[in-house]
Amino acid sequence: MWIEWFVRCSTSISKWPLRLVCDECKRRRFILSFSPLLFINNRKIDKIVFNKYNWREHEENQWKDYRNKSHANSSLLASSIIGVLTTAAAAVFSWEHDGISDQELQEASSDDYLLKMSNAQVDETLTSFGWEKLLRKDHLMLFRKYDHELQVYSYKIFGTFNDISALVFFQVQLDLGYRMKWDDHALTLSVVDSHENTQSDIVHWVQKFPFPFNNRDYLYVRRYCLDMSRNTSPKIVIKCHSVNHPDVHDDKKCVRVNRYESSMVIQSKNKLDEKGMKFLLTYHEDAKASMPTSTYSYLAQSGIPNFVEKLHSAAKKLPKSKQYLSIESLPQCRFVDDISN
Protein backbone atom coordinates (compact mmCIF):
# COMPACT_ATOMS: atom_id res chain seq x y z
CA MET A 1 0.00 0.00 0.00
CA TRP A 2 2.71 2.49 0.89
CA ILE A 3 4.43 1.85 -2.46
CA GLU A 4 1.22 2.73 -4.30
CA TRP A 5 0.83 5.86 -2.16
CA PHE A 6 4.43 6.90 -2.91
CA VAL A 7 3.90 6.50 -6.69
CA ARG A 8 0.76 8.67 -6.57
CA CYS A 9 2.59 11.39 -4.61
CA SER A 10 5.57 11.32 -6.96
CA THR A 11 3.27 11.67 -9.96
CA SER A 12 1.40 14.63 -8.48
CA ILE A 13 4.64 16.36 -7.45
CA SER A 14 6.07 15.98 -10.95
CA LYS A 15 3.07 17.85 -12.33
CA TRP A 16 3.63 20.96 -10.16
CA PRO A 17 6.22 22.55 -12.48
CA LEU A 18 3.88 22.08 -15.44
CA ARG A 19 1.03 23.70 -13.52
CA LEU A 20 3.25 26.64 -12.55
CA VAL A 21 4.50 27.05 -16.11
CA CYS A 22 0.99 26.94 -17.58
CA ASP A 23 -0.23 29.56 -15.09
CA GLU A 24 2.72 31.76 -15.94
CA CYS A 25 2.09 31.24 -19.66
CA LYS A 26 -1.10 33.17 -19.31
CA ARG A 27 1.15 36.20 -18.89
CA ARG A 28 4.28 35.12 -20.74
CA ARG A 29 3.72 32.47 -23.37
CA PHE A 30 7.36 32.23 -24.38
CA ILE A 31 8.27 30.55 -21.05
CA LEU A 32 6.63 27.40 -22.33
CA SER A 33 9.51 26.95 -24.74
CA PHE A 34 11.86 26.49 -21.77
CA SER A 35 9.59 24.02 -20.00
CA PRO A 36 11.72 20.90 -20.82
CA LEU A 37 14.40 22.26 -18.49
CA LEU A 38 11.97 21.93 -15.60
CA PHE A 39 11.27 18.25 -16.23
CA ILE A 40 14.83 16.94 -15.92
CA ASN A 41 13.76 14.83 -12.93
CA ASN A 42 11.55 12.78 -15.25
CA ARG A 43 14.35 12.05 -17.70
CA LYS A 44 16.52 8.95 -17.75
CA ILE A 45 20.17 9.93 -17.30
CA ASP A 46 21.64 6.48 -17.69
CA LYS A 47 22.08 6.98 -21.45
CA ILE A 48 23.86 10.33 -21.21
CA VAL A 49 27.52 9.99 -22.26
CA PHE A 50 30.13 12.60 -21.32
CA ASN A 51 32.58 12.61 -24.23
CA LYS A 52 35.94 14.31 -24.21
CA TYR A 53 35.70 17.72 -25.81
CA ASN A 54 37.21 17.81 -29.33
CA TRP A 55 38.77 21.25 -29.89
CA ARG A 56 39.77 20.52 -33.50
CA GLU A 57 36.20 19.66 -34.38
CA HIS A 58 35.07 22.81 -32.57
CA GLU A 59 37.41 24.99 -34.69
CA GLU A 60 36.27 23.34 -37.92
CA ASN A 61 32.62 23.94 -37.02
CA GLN A 62 33.38 27.56 -36.23
CA TRP A 63 35.05 28.01 -39.64
CA LYS A 64 32.05 26.44 -41.39
CA ASP A 65 29.68 28.75 -39.52
CA TYR A 66 31.79 31.74 -40.50
CA ARG A 67 31.72 30.83 -44.18
CA ASN A 68 27.97 30.20 -44.10
CA LYS A 69 27.34 33.55 -42.39
CA SER A 70 29.57 35.36 -44.87
CA HIS A 71 27.70 33.82 -47.76
CA ALA A 72 24.36 34.72 -46.16
CA ASN A 73 25.49 38.30 -45.55
CA SER A 74 26.63 38.61 -49.15
CA SER A 75 23.27 37.37 -50.37
CA LEU A 76 21.50 39.74 -47.99
CA LEU A 77 23.59 42.65 -49.25
CA ALA A 78 22.83 41.75 -52.85
CA SER A 79 19.13 41.47 -52.07
CA SER A 80 19.20 44.85 -50.34
CA ILE A 81 20.88 46.49 -53.33
CA ILE A 82 18.36 44.93 -55.70
CA GLY A 83 15.54 46.06 -53.42
CA VAL A 84 16.83 49.63 -53.37
CA LEU A 85 17.18 49.69 -57.14
CA THR A 86 13.70 48.24 -57.57
CA THR A 87 12.22 50.83 -55.21
CA ALA A 88 14.03 53.63 -56.99
CA ALA A 89 12.79 52.41 -60.34
CA ALA A 90 9.23 52.23 -59.01
CA ALA A 91 9.46 55.82 -57.75
CA VAL A 92 10.34 57.23 -61.16
CA PHE A 93 7.56 59.54 -62.31
CA SER A 94 6.76 60.71 -65.81
CA TRP A 95 4.02 63.20 -66.66
CA GLU A 96 3.56 61.51 -70.02
CA HIS A 97 2.97 58.03 -68.61
CA ASP A 98 1.79 58.68 -65.05
CA GLY A 99 -0.12 61.91 -65.53
CA ILE A 100 -3.80 62.24 -66.42
CA SER A 101 -4.53 62.15 -70.13
CA ASP A 102 -7.28 63.91 -72.06
CA GLN A 103 -9.02 60.57 -72.47
CA GLU A 104 -9.11 60.04 -68.70
CA LEU A 105 -10.70 63.46 -68.25
CA GLN A 106 -13.29 62.63 -70.86
CA GLU A 107 -14.06 59.31 -69.16
CA ALA A 108 -14.39 61.15 -65.85
CA SER A 109 -17.22 63.21 -67.30
CA SER A 110 -19.01 60.25 -68.90
CA ASP A 111 -21.62 60.12 -66.12
CA ASP A 112 -22.60 63.78 -66.43
CA TYR A 113 -25.94 62.70 -67.98
CA LEU A 114 -27.00 61.69 -64.45
CA LEU A 115 -26.85 65.34 -63.40
CA LYS A 116 -29.72 66.07 -65.78
CA MET A 117 -32.01 63.60 -63.99
CA SER A 118 -34.19 63.97 -60.94
CA ASN A 119 -33.32 62.12 -57.73
CA ALA A 120 -35.92 59.45 -58.44
CA GLN A 121 -34.55 58.89 -61.95
CA VAL A 122 -30.96 58.65 -60.65
CA ASP A 123 -32.09 56.18 -58.02
CA GLU A 124 -33.85 54.00 -60.56
CA THR A 125 -30.99 54.14 -63.08
CA LEU A 126 -28.17 53.28 -60.70
CA THR A 127 -30.18 50.58 -58.96
CA SER A 128 -30.72 48.89 -62.31
CA PHE A 129 -26.92 48.94 -62.80
CA GLY A 130 -26.33 47.15 -59.50
CA TRP A 131 -25.61 50.14 -57.27
CA GLU A 132 -26.81 50.04 -53.66
CA LYS A 133 -28.43 53.13 -52.18
CA LEU A 134 -26.99 54.06 -48.77
CA LEU A 135 -28.45 57.52 -48.27
CA ARG A 136 -31.00 59.78 -49.90
CA LYS A 137 -31.81 63.34 -48.89
CA ASP A 138 -33.21 66.30 -50.74
CA HIS A 139 -29.75 67.68 -51.52
CA LEU A 140 -27.56 64.57 -51.15
CA MET A 141 -27.57 60.94 -52.34
CA LEU A 142 -25.01 58.21 -51.74
CA PHE A 143 -24.60 54.91 -53.61
CA ARG A 144 -22.01 52.16 -53.54
CA LYS A 145 -21.13 49.09 -55.60
CA TYR A 146 -18.59 46.36 -54.94
CA ASP A 147 -15.87 46.08 -57.56
CA HIS A 148 -14.90 42.41 -57.73
CA GLU A 149 -11.86 43.13 -59.87
CA LEU A 150 -10.40 45.73 -57.49
CA GLN A 151 -11.97 44.09 -54.41
CA VAL A 152 -13.09 47.45 -53.01
CA TYR A 153 -16.30 49.46 -52.90
CA SER A 154 -16.88 52.26 -55.37
CA TYR A 155 -19.03 55.20 -54.28
CA LYS A 156 -21.15 57.75 -56.13
CA ILE A 157 -22.18 60.93 -54.35
CA PHE A 158 -24.70 63.42 -55.74
CA GLY A 159 -25.10 66.85 -54.25
CA THR A 160 -27.14 69.97 -54.99
CA PHE A 161 -26.58 73.42 -53.47
CA ASN A 162 -28.46 76.57 -54.41
CA ASP A 163 -26.56 79.03 -52.21
CA ILE A 164 -23.05 78.68 -53.70
CA SER A 165 -21.65 78.78 -57.21
CA ALA A 166 -19.85 76.00 -59.02
CA LEU A 167 -16.71 78.13 -59.24
CA VAL A 168 -16.56 78.70 -55.47
CA PHE A 169 -17.28 75.02 -54.76
CA PHE A 170 -14.38 74.11 -57.01
CA GLN A 171 -12.00 76.67 -55.55
CA VAL A 172 -12.56 75.44 -51.99
CA GLN A 173 -11.26 72.02 -53.05
CA LEU A 174 -8.38 73.46 -55.01
CA ASP A 175 -7.13 75.68 -52.15
CA LEU A 176 -5.12 73.26 -50.00
CA GLY A 177 -4.13 75.92 -47.47
CA TYR A 178 -7.75 76.81 -46.82
CA ARG A 179 -8.70 73.15 -46.51
CA MET A 180 -6.18 72.75 -43.69
CA LYS A 181 -8.35 75.18 -41.72
CA TRP A 182 -11.78 73.64 -42.20
CA ASP A 183 -10.93 69.93 -42.57
CA ASP A 184 -10.00 68.51 -39.15
CA HIS A 185 -8.82 65.21 -40.67
CA ALA A 186 -6.28 66.81 -43.03
CA LEU A 187 -2.95 66.72 -41.19
CA THR A 188 -0.80 67.64 -44.19
CA LEU A 189 -1.66 68.89 -47.68
CA SER A 190 0.99 70.07 -50.07
CA VAL A 191 1.74 70.29 -53.78
CA VAL A 192 4.86 68.26 -54.53
CA ASP A 193 5.19 68.91 -58.25
CA SER A 194 3.31 70.70 -61.04
CA HIS A 195 3.04 70.50 -64.81
CA GLU A 196 2.25 73.73 -66.61
CA ASN A 197 1.35 72.21 -69.97
CA THR A 198 -1.55 70.24 -68.53
CA GLN A 199 -1.97 72.32 -65.37
CA SER A 200 -1.69 69.21 -63.24
CA ASP A 201 -0.38 68.83 -59.69
CA ILE A 202 1.08 66.08 -57.54
CA VAL A 203 -0.58 66.33 -54.13
CA HIS A 204 0.61 64.73 -50.89
CA TRP A 205 -2.16 64.32 -48.35
CA VAL A 206 -1.87 62.88 -44.83
CA GLN A 207 -5.27 62.02 -43.37
CA LYS A 208 -6.03 61.41 -39.73
CA PHE A 209 -7.56 57.99 -39.07
CA PRO A 210 -9.47 57.00 -35.93
CA PHE A 211 -7.77 55.02 -33.18
CA PRO A 212 -6.38 52.32 -33.28
CA PHE A 213 -5.54 52.72 -36.98
CA ASN A 214 -2.46 54.52 -38.22
CA ASN A 215 -2.87 57.68 -40.25
CA ARG A 216 -3.10 57.28 -44.03
CA ASP A 217 -1.18 59.25 -46.60
CA TYR A 218 -2.14 59.73 -50.23
CA LEU A 219 0.07 60.71 -53.11
CA TYR A 220 -1.93 61.45 -56.22
CA VAL A 221 -1.93 63.43 -59.43
CA ARG A 222 -4.76 65.91 -59.96
CA ARG A 223 -5.93 67.54 -63.17
CA TYR A 224 -9.00 69.60 -63.99
CA CYS A 225 -10.54 71.37 -66.95
CA LEU A 226 -13.59 73.37 -68.00
CA ASP A 227 -16.01 71.61 -70.32
CA MET A 228 -17.99 73.95 -72.57
CA SER A 229 -17.99 71.75 -75.66
CA ARG A 230 -21.56 70.52 -75.37
CA ASN A 231 -24.89 72.29 -75.53
CA THR A 232 -25.36 72.21 -71.76
CA SER A 233 -24.40 74.31 -68.77
CA PRO A 234 -20.63 74.63 -68.26
CA LYS A 235 -18.98 71.94 -66.18
CA ILE A 236 -15.71 71.56 -64.31
CA VAL A 237 -14.15 68.10 -64.46
CA ILE A 238 -11.62 66.95 -61.84
CA LYS A 239 -9.68 63.70 -62.07
CA CYS A 240 -7.29 62.20 -59.48
CA HIS A 241 -5.45 58.92 -59.12
CA SER A 242 -2.61 57.63 -56.96
CA VAL A 243 0.98 57.73 -58.22
CA ASN A 244 4.56 57.32 -57.04
CA HIS A 245 6.98 60.24 -56.96
CA PRO A 246 10.70 60.27 -56.08
CA ASP A 247 10.31 63.37 -53.88
CA VAL A 248 7.93 61.65 -51.45
CA HIS A 249 9.05 58.59 -49.50
CA ASP A 250 7.01 56.25 -47.36
CA ASP A 251 6.45 57.37 -43.78
CA LYS A 252 6.67 54.56 -41.22
CA LYS A 253 4.09 56.32 -39.07
CA CYS A 254 1.53 56.26 -41.90
CA VAL A 255 0.03 53.68 -44.20
CA ARG A 256 0.37 54.60 -47.87
CA VAL A 257 -2.86 54.27 -49.84
CA ASN A 258 -1.57 53.03 -53.19
CA ARG A 259 -4.96 52.57 -54.84
CA TYR A 260 -7.02 55.72 -54.94
CA GLU A 261 -9.02 57.18 -57.82
CA SER A 262 -11.73 59.82 -58.00
CA SER A 263 -13.69 61.70 -60.65
CA MET A 264 -15.83 64.76 -60.01
CA VAL A 265 -18.12 66.73 -62.29
CA ILE A 266 -19.33 70.14 -61.05
CA GLN A 267 -22.14 71.59 -63.13
CA SER A 268 -23.62 75.05 -62.77
CA LYS A 269 -27.34 75.62 -63.23
CA ASN A 270 -26.72 78.87 -65.10
CA LYS A 271 -23.21 80.33 -65.06
CA LEU A 272 -20.14 79.14 -63.22
CA ASP A 273 -19.94 82.25 -61.03
CA GLU A 274 -23.67 82.34 -60.20
CA LYS A 275 -25.31 80.53 -57.31
CA GLY A 276 -26.82 77.15 -58.04
CA MET A 277 -24.82 74.00 -58.80
CA LYS A 278 -24.78 70.20 -58.80
CA PHE A 279 -21.92 67.78 -58.45
CA LEU A 280 -21.24 64.08 -58.96
CA LEU A 281 -18.29 62.39 -57.25
CA THR A 282 -17.22 58.83 -58.07
CA TYR A 283 -14.32 57.32 -56.20
CA HIS A 284 -12.74 54.20 -54.76
CA GLU A 285 -9.77 53.52 -52.54
CA ASP A 286 -8.05 50.72 -50.69
CA ALA A 287 -7.32 52.20 -47.26
CA LYS A 288 -5.79 48.89 -46.08
CA ALA A 289 -7.95 48.86 -42.96
CA SER A 290 -9.45 45.54 -41.92
CA MET A 291 -13.00 46.42 -40.93
CA PRO A 292 -16.29 44.53 -41.07
CA THR A 293 -18.64 45.44 -43.89
CA SER A 294 -21.10 46.89 -41.39
CA THR A 295 -18.41 49.26 -40.09
CA TYR A 296 -17.58 50.42 -43.60
CA SER A 297 -21.26 51.04 -44.23
CA TYR A 298 -21.59 53.08 -41.05
CA LEU A 299 -18.51 55.17 -41.84
CA ALA A 300 -19.75 55.79 -45.37
CA GLN A 301 -23.25 56.76 -44.27
CA SER A 302 -21.96 59.13 -41.58
CA GLY A 303 -18.50 60.25 -42.71
CA ILE A 304 -19.23 61.13 -46.34
CA PRO A 305 -22.30 63.31 -45.65
CA ASN A 306 -20.45 65.07 -42.82
CA PHE A 307 -17.54 65.86 -45.12
CA VAL A 308 -19.86 67.18 -47.83
CA GLU A 309 -21.57 69.44 -45.28
CA LYS A 310 -18.18 70.75 -44.13
CA LEU A 311 -17.24 71.39 -47.74
CA HIS A 312 -20.50 73.24 -48.31
CA SER A 313 -20.03 75.32 -45.17
CA ALA A 314 -16.44 76.15 -46.11
CA ALA A 315 -17.60 77.29 -49.55
CA LYS A 316 -20.12 79.65 -47.98
CA LYS A 317 -17.47 81.02 -45.61
CA LEU A 318 -14.76 81.45 -48.21
CA PRO A 319 -12.88 84.58 -47.09
CA LYS A 320 -13.48 87.66 -49.19
CA SER A 321 -9.74 88.23 -49.15
CA LYS A 322 -9.30 85.13 -51.28
CA GLN A 323 -8.63 85.89 -54.89
CA TYR A 324 -11.45 84.16 -56.71
CA LEU A 325 -10.68 82.10 -59.76
CA SER A 326 -11.75 83.50 -63.07
CA ILE A 327 -13.42 81.44 -65.72
CA GLU A 328 -10.75 82.48 -68.19
CA SER A 329 -8.02 80.99 -65.99
CA LEU A 330 -9.46 77.48 -66.21
CA PRO A 331 -7.97 75.23 -68.91
CA GLN A 332 -10.41 74.07 -71.56
CA CYS A 333 -11.20 70.39 -71.87
CA ARG A 334 -10.03 68.85 -75.12
CA PHE A 335 -12.66 66.20 -75.62
CA VAL A 336 -13.22 64.27 -78.80
CA ASP A 337 -16.76 64.74 -80.12
CA ASP A 338 -18.96 61.69 -80.20
CA ILE A 339 -19.24 60.00 -83.58
CA SER A 340 -23.01 60.19 -83.34
CA ASN A 341 -22.80 63.98 -83.23
Side-chain angles (χ1 to χ4, degrees):
M1 295 293 295
W2 66 271
I3 297 177
E4 183 178 352
W5 174 84
F6 178 77
V7 171
R8 287 201 303 267
C9 291
S10 302
T11 305
S12 61
I13 292 174
S14 64
K15 293 181 180 179
W16 288 353
L18 178 62
R19 185 179 299 109
L20 293 175
V21 170
C22 292
D23 291 340
E24 181 68 14
C25 286
K26 294 179 180 179
R27 293 185 289 113
R28 298 182 181 180
R29 296 181 181 275
F30 62 86
I31 292 182
L32 189 60
S33 61
F34 299 102
S35 58
L37 298 179
L38 304 177
F39 306 144
I40 189 67
N41 58 332
N42 292 334
R43 288 183 178 179
K44 295 181 179 180
I45 62 175
D46 53 346
K47 294 184 179 180
I48 297 179
V49 180
F50 296 92
N51 295 326
K52 183 178 180 181
Y53 196 79
N54 193 332
W55 289 98
R56 182 179 298 277
E57 183 179 356
H58 171 70
E59 291 177 355
E60 292 178 355
N61 291 334
Q62 278 192 328
W63 173 246
K64 291 180 181 179
D65 292 341
Y66 173 77
R67 287 188 300 177
N68 293 335
K69 290 181 179 179
S70 299
H71 178 71
N73 292 336
S74 300
S75 302
L76 179 61
L77 178 61
S79 301
S80 301
I81 294 175
I82 294 174
V84 170
L85 293 177
T86 304
T87 304
V92 174
F93 176 81
S94 170
W95 287 105
E96 181 180 358
H97 297 93
D98 301 320
I100 296 174
S101 62
D102 297 340
Q103 182 179 357
E104 287 183 88
L105 279 176
Q106 188 166 2
E107 292 174 354
S109 65
S110 60
D111 287 342
D112 60 354
Y113 69 94
L114 295 171
L115 294 174
K116 304 174 185 178
M117 298 181 179
S118 63
N119 290 351
Q121 291 174 331
V122 171
D123 192 350
E124 182 180 357
T125 301
L126 290 183
T127 303
S128 64
F129 290 155
W131 289 84
E132 175 189 2
K133 181 177 62 178
L134 297 181
L135 178 69
R136 178 176 176 179
K137 295 183 178 181
D138 293 337
H139 67 287
L140 187 66
M141 292 191 299
L142 172 63
F143 297 84
R144 76 173 180 181
K145 183 179 181 180
Y146 189 75
D147 192 320
H148 293 277
E149 182 178 355
L150 299 176
Q151 296 185 350
V152 295
Y153 277 103
S154 295
Y155 294 89
K156 283 188 182 294
I157 307 166
F158 294 83
T160 303
F161 297 115
N162 296 319
D163 53 355
I164 58 175
S165 67
L167 197 60
V168 170
F169 185 77
F170 167 68
Q171 180 170 346
V172 169
Q173 302 179 69
L174 199 66
D175 193 335
L176 301 182
Y178 182 48
R179 180 170 178 176
M180 289 289 295
K181 297 180 180 180
W182 62 264
D183 188 358
D184 298 334
H185 293 89
L187 300 179
T188 301
L189 271 169
S190 60
V191 175
V192 178
D193 196 0
S194 299
H195 191 236
E196 294 183 1
N197 293 342
T198 58
Q199 293 193 356
S200 304
D201 297 315
I202 303 294
V203 179
H204 185 217
W205 170 30
V206 179
Q207 183 186 16
K208 182 180 179 180
F209 255 55
F211 180 84
F213 300 102
N214 292 334
N215 296 332
R216 264 57 177 172
D217 75 323
Y218 300 74
L219 185 63
Y220 60 91
V221 56
R222 177 187 65 189
R223 185 183 175 189
Y224 57 88
C225 66
L226 175 62
D227 180 14
M228 300 186 68
S229 60
R230 304 176 187 178
N231 298 324
T232 58
S233 302
K235 297 180 292 293
I236 300 175
V237 183
I238 312 172
K239 178 68 178 182
C240 304
H241 66 68
S242 55
V243 292
N244 291 320
H245 197 277
D247 292 344
V248 180
H249 304 284
D250 292 342
D251 188 351
K252 295 181 180 180
K253 298 180 180 179
C254 300
V255 176
R256 172 65 56 83
V257 178
N258 295 318
R259 288 196 296 170
Y260 164 75
E261 187 173 355
S262 66
S263 305
M264 176 177 279
V265 180
I266 307 172
Q267 180 175 342
S268 63
K269 292 184 177 180
N270 298 304
K271 296 182 179 179
L272 286 176
D273 53 358
E274 293 182 358
K275 292 183 179 180
M277 49 79 61
K278 292 183 177 181
F279 76 90
L280 166 60
L281 172 63
T282 305
Y283 84 97
H284 69 262
E285 65 174 307
D286 182 9
K288 301 178 181 179
S290 299
M291 297 182 187
T293 305
S294 58
T295 304
Y296 269 115
S297 300
Y298 171 77
L299 293 177
Q301 293 175 358
S302 59
I304 293 177
N306 290 339
F307 175 79
V308 174
E309 293 299 334
K310 285 185 177 181
L311 180 60
H312 176 218
S313 178
K316 293 194 298 183
K317 298 177 181 178
L318 185 68
K320 300 298 181 182
S321 59
K322 290 284 184 180
Q323 183 178 0
Y324 288 92
L325 291 172
S326 62
I327 300 176
E328 293 76 15
S329 64
L330 299 179
Q332 297 286 328
C333 297
R334 293 173 289 183
F335 292 165
V336 178
D337 294 335
D338 296 337
I339 300 176
S340 59
N341 295 338

